[in-house]
C-alpha cells in the first residue's frame, strides 16, 4: 500500500554545495591523512577499504530508509544488512584505531573525518534524490 508523503521544499543550492564540500573534506581529509601517515601499506589499504565500505553502506542504508518511508518495498534482510554494514564499518574503524600505534590526536583525526564523510555522503545522496524528484515533475513535493 502506497501512502502519500509530503516533503518540504527542495534543498537550496548553498546547502547542497555545503554537503558536497563536507563530503570532499571528510573523505579527502581521511585520504590525505593516509597518504601522509607513517604506516605500512597494508594498514593504509585497511583504512582505505573501510572508508569505501562505510560510504557505500551509509548511502545504501539511507536509500533503504527513504524507500521504506515512501512505501517502496524493501526486504527485511536487506534492511538489516544495511544497518549491520554501517555498524560493522564503525566497529572495524574503532578496533583498528584502538590497536593502532598512532598518536591520540591522529586517531581522533581519522575518526572525525570518517564520521564526517559518512554523514555527508548520506546528506549528498538525499539531496541528489530530492533534486531528481523535483526535476521529474514532483513539484508539489508529494511523493506517492
Amino acid at each position: 500500500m502506497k501512502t502519500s508523503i509530503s516533503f518540504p521544499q527542495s534543498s537550496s543550492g548553498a546547502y547542497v554545495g555545503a554537503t558536497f564540500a563536507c563530503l570532499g573534506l571528510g573523505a579527502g581529509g581521511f585520504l590525505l591523512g593516509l597518504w601522509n601517515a607513517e604506516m605500512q601499506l597494508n594498514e593504509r589499504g585497511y583504512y582505505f577499504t573501510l572508508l569505501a565500505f562505510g560510504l557505500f553502506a551509509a548511502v545504501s542504508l539511507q536509500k533503504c530508509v527513504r524507500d521504506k518511508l515512501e512505501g517502496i518495498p524493501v526486504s527485511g534482510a536487506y534492511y538489516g544488512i544495511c544497518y549491520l554494514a554501517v555498524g560493522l564499518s564503525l566497529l572495524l574503524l574503532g578496533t583498528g584505531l584502538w590497536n593502532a600505534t598512532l598518536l591520540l590526536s591522529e586517531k581522533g583525526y581519522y575518526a572525525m573525518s570518517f564520521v564526517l564523510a559518512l554523514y555527508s555522503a548520506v546528506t549528498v545522496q538525499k539531496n541528489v534524490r530530492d533534486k531528481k524528484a523535483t526535476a521529474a515533475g514532483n513539484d508539489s513535493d508529494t511523493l506517492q
Side-chain angles (χ1 to χ4, degrees), residues 36-98:
N36 292 321
E38 293 183 15
M39 60 176 69
Q40 294 181 5
L41 190 57
N42 63 336
E43 289 178 280
R44 290 180 191 188
Y46 174 78
Y47 289 115
F48 175 78
T49 303
L50 273 180
L51 179 65
F53 174 56
L55 289 173
F56 177 79
V59 169
S60 186
L61 177 61
Q62 194 276 340
K63 183 180 177 347
C64 282
V65 169
R66 181 80 177 258
D67 284 351
K68 207 169 194 181
L69 181 68
E70 293 175 358
I72 300 170
V74 176
S75 74
Y78 188 71
Y79 193 69
I81 287 170
C82 288
Y83 267 107
L84 179 68
V86 171
L88 190 58
S89 71
L90 293 169
L91 178 69
L92 288 170
L93 180 76
T95 303
L97 291 176
W98 180 268

